[in-house]
Amino acid sequence: MSQPTTQLTEALMKKLQPESFVLLNTVDAESGGPTSSIVSWIYPVNESTLRLAIDHRSRLVVNLKRNPLASVTVFCNEQVIAISGRAEVRQNPLDGVPFDMCCFDIHVEFVRDALFHGIQLASSPEFIKIYDEQAAEKLDGQVLAAMRKA
């Protein structure tokens, strides 16, 4: 991606499928400063909208409700892509999950390559689950199904 754009590319949409994780950058509701957190319940609704679910216990819910400006950092195909936009509550609480979650849509305003000129990502970050894998798969399925219905 050499030129900034206002829509997600096909490669980004493919990367942003279940089991990927991204950095969600928000404006902290208390300090007013930037903050970053890793989230994994995120997927593209279409070329101009990302949908994510966040546990109500997370500060991110309050951050996005107070200030909808957000960016999502994606590690994709030797690139680091920054997606900026505005979040709005899609469903609160999210139906069909075993604990309170808030579902947000981020309306994409800007997509750009976040790496400096002349470099590329050598490898994408990977993660492993260190808790009950069956319980994690069940919860992931419940949350993603609820997000698609929202």
Side-chain angles (χ1 to χ4, degrees), residues 15-124:
K15 175 65 178 173
L16 287 166
Q17 296 302 315
E19 293 300 316
S20 64
F21 74 92
V22 301
L23 287 172
L24 175 62
N25 309 288
T26 63
V27 177
D28 187 78
E30 289 180 24
S31 72
T35 184
S36 296
S37 298
I38 292 178
V39 297
S40 62
W41 288 318
I42 186 167
Y43 75 92
V45 175
N46 54 44
E47 300 86 13
S48 59
T49 307
L50 293 172
R51 182 163 295 159
L52 66 143
I54 302 171
D55 185 326
H56 265 277
R57 294 172 288 188
S58 171
R59 292 173 59 124
L60 295 172
V61 173
V62 174
N63 291 354
L64 290 171
K65 285 181 176 181
R66 286 219 182 124
N67 186 332
L69 295 176
S71 70
V72 174
T73 305
V74 183
F75 306 92
C76 176
N77 301 334
E78 301 175 341
Q79 295 178 300
V80 177
I81 305 297
I83 304 165
S84 300
R86 294 182 181 273
E88 74 174 336
V89 173
R90 174 72 183 192
Q91 189 177 86
N92 185 24
L94 184 61
D95 295 333
V97 293
F99 53 90
D100 285 341
M101 298 190 79
C102 189
C103 185
F104 290 92
D105 281 351
I106 297 178
H107 303 286
V108 175
E109 295 175 350
F110 202 74
V111 180
R112 67 177 182 84
D113 187 344
L115 289 175
F116 57 85
H117 181 72
I119 69 165
Q120 68 183 27
L121 196 61
S123 64
S124 292

